Amino acid sequence: MNAFPAPPVTADAARHAKPHPAHPAHPAEPRARFGALMLGAIGIVYGDIGTSPLYTVKEAFAPHYGLAPDAPSVLGILSLIFWSLVVVITVKYVTVIMRADNEGEGGIMALTALVGRGLVPGSRGAYVVGLLGVFGVALFFGDGVLTPAISVLSAVEGLGVAAPGLAPWILPIAIGVLVALFLLQRFGTAVVGRAFGPVVLVWFAALAAIGIHNLLANPEVLRALDPRWGLRFFADHGWHGLLILGAVVLAVTGGETLYADMGHFGRRPIQVAWNVIVLPALTLNYFGQGALLLRDPAAVENPFYLGVPSWALYPMIGLATAATVIASQAVISGAYSAARQAMLLGYLPRMGVRHTSRQTAGQIYVPGVNWLLMAAVIATVLGFGDSTSLATAYGVSVTGTMLITSLLLIVLLRTRRRIPGWLFWPLAAAFVLVDVAFLAANLAKFKDGAWFPIAMAVAMFAVMRTWARGRAILHAELHKDGVPLADFLPGLRLSPPLRVPGTAVFLTGTPDIVPKALLHNLKHNKVLHARNLLLTVETLPVPVAPAQARLAFERLDDDFLRATVRVGFMESPDVPLALMRSGDRDGPVFDPMDTTFFASRESVLAPPNRGMPQWRDRLFAFLHRNAAPANEFFRIPSTRLVELGTPVEI
């Protein structure tokens, strides 16, 4: 007689089920709904790129570039800024890249998973794509450090324009704002998020108004809309003129956010918000700053704040600070999401994930990431001291991520072959050429600060690759030393142990090997539960797992089942909830009060001359030792979990 009360669902049926898009294509939505999505996109997606006018033009005329604010230079830089916005954001991201969605989701991790699905698993191409994706995520984490630092610091620096006597207080005030921002993360963004859209909308209105105010005094600056002024700038300055792209790229920082947040708002609201509100407001403000410089070259000290009427200066500082906090919040939230995706895909150790909203699954808080980011951001602000110094370091992360996104997109389009070659290759060459030019200009500032984001990215890349490789070695060792399940069950029937009532769920990453926790339970407690489930959590290369593939069962014996819980890389695994819902799909019924979870917690030993280089072995052992316990990550109540330790040499 079967110990489990209902027939199982076969694993093959679930494995071959066709997934549905997690976010279906947006149909013609009601006008109010579309407006709400567009307002949300303005608040979340465009906060970062919307604060770029605070420092972009100022950085272009910084002393290390050696440019005088004369008419040819001002018009040339404005032309480069405008056409960079058009080519990189409007054409590349808004028009092309946002069509490369992974079941409705965007971002470099989603794109990496999407590209990988079209390649042969284990092939050299799949390996290279994986490396590119991991390094892109590592660069994104560096952006998560630099964006809050430069955004908040550049906003607070307006106090030095309004009241020069407050200049010594700029750094402490900026650090105070940043500390408050990170301390508030634990409460979630549900309440603050409702105010993001209106505040940033007011910010863009203010950018446009100030730009028009300055343009009216010198409208001839609009000649810079002609791209020939940008070409003339390069002709006048030669190869040295290419270095100015290191400052121009600051105008497009935040472009990756358009793609990363596509799943939250949909493609159309983001596209319309850019074309109707964001691009016009940014263009007016940049050209207004240029008009001010043509009229008063001394304003090069801070062309953004010196272009604000004196009566509006303090309100503008307050509004700018609010806008930069929102921009920082969006990047911090993105870091939480990227960390969770990396955990589920096996590139980072388990960390505690807290859900801060009952209505929105995507609103999460990762304490470990939060405190590491806060420490890194404050150290960065103290180390660089001002926004001008930070600007020299800022562009590398952005341009590196953009280049990797372009390369992944090229691989995706080539494997799908949906674009004819005569159009594909010129488009691919243009994207890569622009990204390489921006990256080269930023790498030229290596000694001046560009080394910092590169060092952060390399360190993060080493951590992620070490964790992924270490897990593979660990699983191989467990598999090599483990007892095959096919040999274990017949022997168990020949010599049955004492049975106790209830259900035991054994978490395992090697489904065909007997879990160590099960062997230890038999060895030390001399008992076996009446019902036993060997459970593996599998992450699919899609954002949200399709309903019909979320849970699959395979009967091994009358009282033994093997189960697979599948989640998408945008989801948080909830093992008890998945098992409770199995009864709704004609699967076994699990009583949570009669179920005990067992997990093995390996103690990793790293002897010399085995596995990876010694430093990587030790790094993996440290990460493994400090990973969050299984109950916290898989949302298993601590009162229902038994962890049994076992030493493993890698």
Side-chain angles (χ1 to χ4, degrees):
M1 185 177 71
N2 291 345
F4 287 91
V9 178
T10 64
D12 288 339
R15 184 176 303 278
H16 297 293
K18 184 178 179 180
H20 327 285
H23 298 273
H26 290 268
E29 301 179 59
R31 189 169 299 177
R33 171 68 174 160
F34 186 84
L37 287 172
M38 195 169 78
L39 185 63
I42 290 171
I44 300 296
V45 176
Y46 292 114
D48 188 2
I49 198 169
T51 55
S52 296
L54 286 165
Y55 45 78
T56 299
V57 176
K58 175 185 174 184
E59 168 63 13
F61 289 98
H64 48 264
Y65 287 112
L67 294 177
D70 53 30
S73 295
V74 169
L75 294 176
I77 288 173
L78 289 180
S79 183
L80 291 173
I81 289 174
F82 174 75
W83 286 103
S84 294
L85 290 170
V86 170
V87 172
V88 176
I89 306 299
T90 305
V91 177
K92 177 181 171 182
Y93 277 96
V94 173
T95 304
V96 179
I97 289 184
M98 290 186 71
R99 297 181 181 275
D101 64 288
N102 188 340
E103 310 292 348
E105 293 287 346
I108 195 163
M109 187 67 80
L111 182 59
T112 302
L114 181 62
V115 174
R117 281 156 56 186
L119 301 173
V120 178
S123 64
R124 183 179 296 274
Y127 177 74
V128 172
V129 163
L131 289 181
L132 285 173
V134 172
F135 196 72
V137 174
L139 286 169
F140 178 79
F141 283 120
D143 190 27
V145 172
L146 290 171
T147 294
I150 191 172
S151 298
V152 172
L153 191 55
S154 60
V156 177
E157 282 175 347
L159 291 172
V161 176
L166 294 176
W169 292 95
I170 289 175
L171 216 56
I173 291 173
I175 291 174
V177 171
L178 289 166
V179 169
L181 174 63
F182 282 102
L183 290 178
L184 290 173
Q185 294 301 310
R186 69 180 70 182
F187 301 109
T189 58
V191 175
V192 183
R194 297 189 190 103
F196 280 10
V199 171
V200 179
L201 186 60
V202 172
W203 168 253
F204 281 118
L207 288 181
I210 294 170
I212 292 171
H213 168 76
N214 289 297
L215 271 172
L216 292 176
N218 197 351
E220 70 176 41
V221 77
L222 291 173
R223 290 184 297 160
L225 291 171
D226 186 341
R228 288 178 296 181
W229 281 101
L231 297 175
R232 177 180 171 181
F233 180 89
F234 290 136
D236 291 343
H237 294 85
W239 286 105
H240 179 72
L242 290 174
L243 298 178
I244 200 62
L245 293 177
V248 172
V249 75
L250 298 176
V252 298
T253 55
E256 191 71 22
T257 311
L258 278 72
Y259 182 45
D261 285 327
M262 181 172 59
H264 296 288
F265 304 102
R267 183 189 306 148
R268 285 293 298 159
I270 293 176
Q271 291 174 330
V272 173
W274 171 257
N275 291 318
V276 174
I277 296 174
V278 180
L279 179 59
L282 291 175
T283 302
L284 288 170
N285 192 267
Y286 282 125
F287 277 69
Q289 291 186 49
L292 175 66
L293 291 180
L294 291 181
R295 188 173 73 252
D296 180 13
V300 73
E301 180 183 350
N302 197 321
F304 180 84
Y305 280 116
L306 289 173
V308 178
S310 57
W311 59 267
L313 193 53
Y314 283 106
M316 196 63 188
I317 293 171
L319 182 59
T321 303
T324 55
V325 166
I326 291 171
S328 302
Q329 176 64 65
V331 174
I332 294 168
S333 299
Y336 297 156
S337 297
R340 179 176 64 175
Q341 294 174 28
M343 284 185 266
L344 288 171
L345 292 171
Y347 289 111
L348 282 179
R350 293 190 304 259
M351 289 181 276
V353 178
R354 300 179 190 172
H355 292 258
T356 59
S357 172
R358 293 182 180 271
Q359 290 76 35
T360 307
Q363 291 186 2
I364 59 173
Y365 168 61
V366 185
V369 173
N370 187 69
W371 304 127
L372 286 173
L373 271 182
M374 186 180 79
V377 169
I378 292 174
T380 300
V381 169
L382 291 174
F384 284 89
D386 57 68
S387 62
T388 299
S389 300
L390 269 169
T392 61
Y394 190 29
V396 173
S397 295
V398 176
T399 53
T401 305
M402 287 182 172
L403 177 59
I404 290 174
T405 300
S406 294
L407 294 175
L408 292 175
L409 177 69
I410 289 170
V411 175
L412 177 67
L413 295 178
R414 196 60 189 154
T415 54
R416 290 187 172 185
R417 299 183 182 275
R418 293 182 180 176
I419 300 179
W422 63 267
L423 177 60
F424 170 79
W425 289 114
L427 195 66
F431 286 168
V432 171
L433 182 62
V434 170
D435 290 336
V436 168
F438 278 133
L439 182 60
N442 280 279
L443 289 176
K445 302 181 291 184
F446 185 85
K447 294 182 180 179
D448 298 323
W451 63 268
F452 180 65
I454 295 175
M456 283 195 296
V458 169
M460 196 66 207
F461 179 80
V463 168
M464 296 174 73
R465 287 296 301 167
T466 296
W467 178 255
R469 177 62 180 152
R471 283 180 75 249
I473 294 174
L474 179 61
H475 285 173
E477 291 295 327
L478 291 173
H479 199 279
K480 182 176 66 176
D481 299 334
V483 178
L485 199 58
D487 299 336
F488 173 77
L489 293 178
L492 198 64
R493 286 193 293 269
L494 292 175
S495 180
L498 178 67
R499 296 286 182 148
V500 296
T503 301
V505 178
F506 296 93
L507 302 177
T508 176
T510 51
D512 55 339
I513 298 295
V514 182
K516 295 284 187 182
L518 174 55
L519 294 176
H520 282 304
N521 192 42
L522 277 173
K523 179 180 179 181
H524 297 292
N525 298 326
K526 316 295 185 185
V527 297
L528 193 66
H529 282 70
R531 295 171 299 279
N532 298 275
L533 181 71
L534 312 183
L535 188 143
T536 301
V537 178
E538 179 183 335
T539 303
L540 301 178
V542 294
V544 179
Q548 69 270 31
R550 283 185 174 276
L551 183 61
F553 292 101
E554 179 184 357
R555 188 171 295 281
L556 303 173
D557 206 338
D558 286 347
D559 47 14
F560 268 87
L561 283 181
R562 181 159 50 199
T564 303
V565 174
R566 297 187 179 92
V567 297
F569 60 79
M570 293 288 291
E571 300 180 278
S572 293
D574 190 329
V575 168
L577 181 61
L579 293 179
M580 287 173 62
R581 289 177 174 172
S582 67
D584 300 336
R585 302 180 57 247
D586 298 326
V589 177
F590 292 90
D591 180 1
M593 300 308 296
D594 195 37
T595 302
T596 302
F597 294 87
F598 290 84
S600 299
R601 190 163 180 86
E602 296 85 6
S603 176
V604 175
L605 306 177
N609 303 320
R610 287 192 62 181
M612 298 178 288
Q614 187 71 7
W615 70 270
R616 293 186 71 188
D617 280 341
R618 291 178 177 175
L619 174 60
F620 176 75
F622 171 80
L623 295 172
H624 191 274
R625 189 165 56 248
N626 289 279
N631 68 301
E632 187 175 343
F633 188 72
F634 294 119
R635 308 184 80 175
I636 299 170
S638 57
T639 56
R640 311 302 304 172
L641 179 74
V642 177
E643 280 196 316
L644 300 172
T646 179
V648 181
E649 289 188 354
I650 62 170

